[in-house]
Amino acid sequence: MANTNSIPTHLGIILDGNRRWAKRNGLPTLQGHRQGMDNFKDVSLAAFGRGVKFVSAYIFSVENWQRTQEEVSYLMNLVNKGIQKHLETYHQAGIKLVMLGSRQGIEKKILASIDTAIEKTKANTKGTFVLCFNYGGKQEIAEAAQKLAKQGSEITFESLDQAIGLA
């Protein structure tokens, strides 16, 4: 019989529905994103506190670039502000930050904040916060195929897995 009280090793959270939540609560849609960021912090720290080793936050996919310029700018600035606001809290909790996704198209100031957080927390060992930012399945496959083509490698399921980092 399986232990139903076991703690998962990895928790993935897709930050979705913030605009719908804001509309239902009579707030501007951008306010929903800010509330989602604060809720994520509380949920992720609670998960780490209960023994979860990895928490992945899917916060901005490449498809999100299709949103309005106002919303994209707000989300980018929210990531920057969120890192600056919560970095010390995660660091004091012993949580390491890593980023998965493309750096292409991201403003230098945002990348600098992410890089600062990664550097500051790299030796932390109580958990890993995986920031999935500017990610996309098709993009990962295309980048892996380009990498293999440059190397002159045959493109197979196995070589794609290896190029993406799954093997």
Side-chain angles (χ1 to χ4, degrees):
M1 176 185 274
N3 179 356
T4 57
N5 294 322
S6 64
I7 302 296
T9 300
H10 195 152
L11 175 65
I13 300 174
I14 301 170
L15 278 78
D16 188 26
N18 294 321
R19 292 181 295 177
R20 289 185 298 275
W21 176 86
K23 285 179 185 177
R24 276 196 307 270
N25 287 283
L27 298 168
T29 57
L30 298 180
Q31 176 67 32
H33 294 302
R34 186 166 6 122
Q35 184 64 45
M37 175 187 70
D38 290 337
N39 287 344
F40 172 78
K41 179 197 63 118
D42 294 341
V43 169
S44 66
L45 290 173
F48 287 126
R50 287 173 175 75
V52 174
K53 298 296 180 197
F54 298 90
V55 175
S56 291
Y58 294 85
I59 65 166
F60 191 89
S61 72
V62 294
E63 290 81 11
N64 290 147
W65 288 108
Q66 302 306 312
R67 294 180 180 204
T68 66
Q69 181 58 43
E70 177 190 23
E71 190 171 11
V72 169
S73 293
Y74 184 84
L75 290 170
M76 291 293 159
N77 287 323
L78 189 61
V79 168
N80 198 35
K81 288 178 185 175
I83 289 171
Q84 292 172 0
K85 180 179 179 182
H86 300 302
L87 174 58
E88 196 57 38
T89 301
Y90 283 100
H91 183 55
Q92 292 299 316
I95 307 304
K96 174 172 54 174
L97 175 78
V98 298
M99 179 187 146
L100 295 180
S102 175
R103 298 171 67 88
Q104 185 176 3
I106 306 299
E107 292 179 40
K108 289 180 182 180
K109 71 177 184 177
I110 296 166
L111 291 173
S113 288
I114 292 169
D115 291 342
T116 297
I118 290 169
E119 181 63 29
K120 181 171 187 163
T121 63
K122 69 181 180 183
N124 292 348
T125 60
K126 299 218 182 216
T128 302
F129 170 11
V130 182
L131 179 68
C132 303
F133 185 59
N134 202 25
Y135 65 90
K138 289 179 183 179
Q139 176 185 336
E140 288 181 39
I141 292 168
E143 288 175 359
Q146 289 170 354
K147 179 179 175 182
L148 292 170
K150 282 182 184 176
Q151 296 171 347
S153 300
E154 182 180 359
I155 299 175
T156 66
F157 288 123
E158 293 79 17
S159 65
L160 282 171
D161 280 350
Q162 189 169 3
I164 292 171
L166 298 175

